[in-house]
Amino acid sequence: MKGFINHIPSKFVFGSGSFGKIANEKLPGKKALIVISKGKSTRANGYLEHLENQLKAIGIEFALFDKIEPNPLKPTVMEGAKAARENACDFVIALGGGSVMDASKAISIMATNEGDLWDYILFGTGKKKPFKNAALPLVAISTTAGTGSELDAGGVITNPETNEKTAVFHESLFPVLSIVDPELTLSVPPKFTAYQGFDALFHSIEGYVASGANPISDMYASIAIENVANYLPRAVKDGKDLEAREHVSFGNSLSGMMMSTGHCTSEHSLEHAMSAYHQELPHGAGLIMISEAYFTFMIEKSACPERFIKMAKLMGMKNANEPMDFIRALKKLQKECGVENLKMSDYGITPEEFEKFAKNAKDAMGFLFECDRIPLSISDCVSIYQKSYK
């Protein structure tokens, strides 16, 4: 049996209604920087006001930073870190989806360390310096079900100066408290429910076929795949289906645990390169676009065939008996969620960019290629993009 490390120090509070019970939790400071997206939904749905009222009731002061983009940018992170220092905040509350949580992690650690975020990035043009100080404590309150960032110690940030979209890691970036209330996802529109759900699904699919898969990551990944794949179509069809939302949210958080005990693969590197150059491309949508070609490549190279069969069964194909049944189950799920016809061209992506994307993926997020069972060359990556192009 392969060995593993299971270190997830976050307190995880899950369940419908849990957002309204913040007063029951011990918060890690006296003044919070609340971080939300620059969109309208957090305010329009009343989530920000509800959080502020709860903090006031227990005597917690706060400042607000409301500028986070869908694919968070380094300059925004640096601005948020400055806001945390100027407002003398001693912890951070991320209220939002994966982008807000990723940005909040980077904000929390740059609030306590000098210089620029890219001084500490380990990949691409990052200067690879070690962080001298731990991050401000982070509380993560998830309003979507997509990234599992509420239960891991990393965040993905884009540097617009270099078109690098890559990860920042530090053990102190595990949230001290993660609140996952599926009721907060009821307001997510169908399209983004699908994009986010597939992101959560691919985290665990990749983890299940990664070279570093182990008994504990397999446990998280398999249960996550089963929950997301079997309930996401219902959540997309009827956003008020709370039972479906609960299962998708649960699967998403388990995918975060998988990432804390196992690894994703280069599928994520390939997509991050796409959205590094095309900021408006939702990460989940990009993953959907390349997924069929990516996993078909792995199957054709005979990467862990028994695991692809097992995943097809977890996704509802009980009689699966060959690896390509996984691709059939994946295509069926995409069709049920209405995302089978996503086009790169709709986001301005052209085939002339594919080699640039491949080289960027290998440079900025090359560490995930090391988790593949089958090595991918630049030409292999370009071929996957070409086969995915519409």
Side-chain angles (χ1 to χ4, degrees):
M1 182 178 289
K2 184 179 289 188
F4 59 84
I5 297 174
N6 186 20
H7 177 71
I8 307 174
S10 306
K11 181 177 181 180
F12 178 33
V13 180
F14 178 90
S16 296
S18 57
F19 179 45
K21 300 175 182 177
I22 291 175
N24 297 341
E25 304 300 330
K26 182 180 179 181
L27 298 180
K30 297 181 179 179
K31 186 173 184 180
L33 181 72
I34 301 174
V35 180
I36 64 173
S37 76
K38 67 177 184 178
K40 300 177 181 179
S41 62
T42 310
R43 285 188 172 92
N45 293 316
Y47 303 153
L48 176 61
E49 182 181 9
H50 190 36
L51 174 61
E52 291 175 340
N53 288 339
Q54 290 189 80
L55 295 178
K56 290 175 184 176
I58 57 177
I60 299 291
E61 297 182 56
F62 54 84
L64 179 67
F65 187 74
D66 59 355
K67 300 182 180 182
I68 306 303
E69 305 89 354
N71 288 302
L73 300 173
K74 178 178 74 76
T76 309
V77 164
M78 297 306 302
E79 185 180 352
K82 182 180 179 183
R85 291 192 298 270
E86 290 180 345
N87 286 282
C89 297
D90 55 4
F91 73 109
V92 175
I93 299 178
L95 177 64
S99 295
V100 169
M101 284 186 276
D102 282 6
S104 295
K105 290 175 182 178
I107 287 169
S108 68
I109 203 159
M110 288 312 300
T112 61
N113 287 276
E114 297 179 349
D116 183 80
L117 176 64
W118 241 247
D119 293 341
Y120 304 96
I121 293 296
L122 300 175
F123 318 105
T125 63
K127 296 181 180 179
K128 304 175 179 60
K129 293 181 180 179
F131 288 109
K132 292 184 177 180
N133 303 307
L136 293 177
L138 174 65
V139 174
I141 304 172
S142 181
T143 62
T144 67
T147 69
S149 193
E150 66 271 16
L151 288 165
D152 68 24
V156 177
I157 307 297
T158 299
N159 184 343
E161 297 172 3
T162 61
N163 291 113
E164 292 172 298
K165 186 178 178 185
T166 191
V168 54
F169 295 110
H170 195 262
E171 187 172 317
S172 66
L173 295 181
F174 275 109
V176 298
L177 173 65
S178 297
I179 296 176
V180 176
D181 185 341
E183 289 182 355
L184 301 189
T185 69
L186 293 172
S187 58
V188 180
K191 178 173 69 174
F192 289 101
T193 296
Y195 295 166
Q196 294 157 8
F198 271 96
D199 186 14
L201 181 66
F202 288 131
H203 286 151
S204 282
I205 286 173
E206 292 175 35
Y208 199 70
V209 300
S211 59
N214 59 72
I216 200 75
S217 69
D218 282 352
M219 180 185 74
Y220 291 133
S222 60
I223 299 174
I225 292 167
E226 193 169 35
N227 275 269
V228 176
N230 289 288
Y231 285 90
L232 184 59
R234 280 176 50 179
V236 172
K237 183 178 180 180
D238 178 7
K240 301 304 180 184
D241 183 339
L242 183 57
E243 181 185 27
R245 294 289 193 180
E246 288 172 338
H247 281 274
V248 174
S249 293
F250 179 56
N252 172 61
S253 293
L254 290 179
S255 284
M257 294 180 180
M258 190 292 301
M259 289 187 287
S260 295
T261 56
H263 305 282
C264 289
T265 68
S266 60
E267 185 198 18
H268 261 69
S269 302
L270 294 176
E271 195 296 314
H272 284 316
M274 294 162 63
S275 49
Y277 285 96
H278 295 270
Q279 176 74 13
E280 70 285 358
L281 173 64
H283 174 53
L287 288 171
I288 293 167
M289 291 173 186
I290 63 174
S291 59
E292 181 183 346
Y294 178 85
F295 290 112
T296 297
F297 173 88
M298 292 296 177
I299 290 169
E300 290 177 345
K301 296 292 184 178
S302 299
C304 57
E306 74 290 344
R307 286 181 170 256
F308 281 102
I309 296 171
K310 176 67 180 296
M311 288 193 296
K313 291 179 178 179
L314 290 170
M315 295 170 69
M317 189 177 287
K318 300 304 181 184
N319 296 323
N321 59 16
E322 63 175 6
M324 282 302 292
D325 282 334
F326 167 78
I327 299 298
R328 297 180 185 101
L330 180 62
K331 292 173 69 174
K332 178 175 180 288
L333 181 62
Q334 290 178 355
K335 186 173 183 179
E336 289 174 341
C337 293
V339 294
E340 74 275 23
N341 291 318
L342 294 180
K343 297 179 181 178
M344 291 187 192
S345 56
D346 286 344
Y347 293 89
I349 296 173
T350 64
E352 289 72 27
E353 297 179 276
F354 293 160
E355 186 165 355
K356 175 179 70 176
F357 291 166
K359 291 178 179 178
N360 179 289
K362 286 269 192 176
D363 185 41
M365 291 198 82
F367 62 97
L368 290 184
F369 284 85
E370 297 175 9
C371 302
D372 293 336
R373 292 177 188 256
I374 304 296
L376 269 74
S377 65
I378 293 292
S379 60
D380 291 331
C381 297
V382 171
S383 176
I384 287 169
Y385 287 132
Q386 289 172 336
K387 290 176 180 178
S388 304
Y389 187 75
K390 297 177 184 177

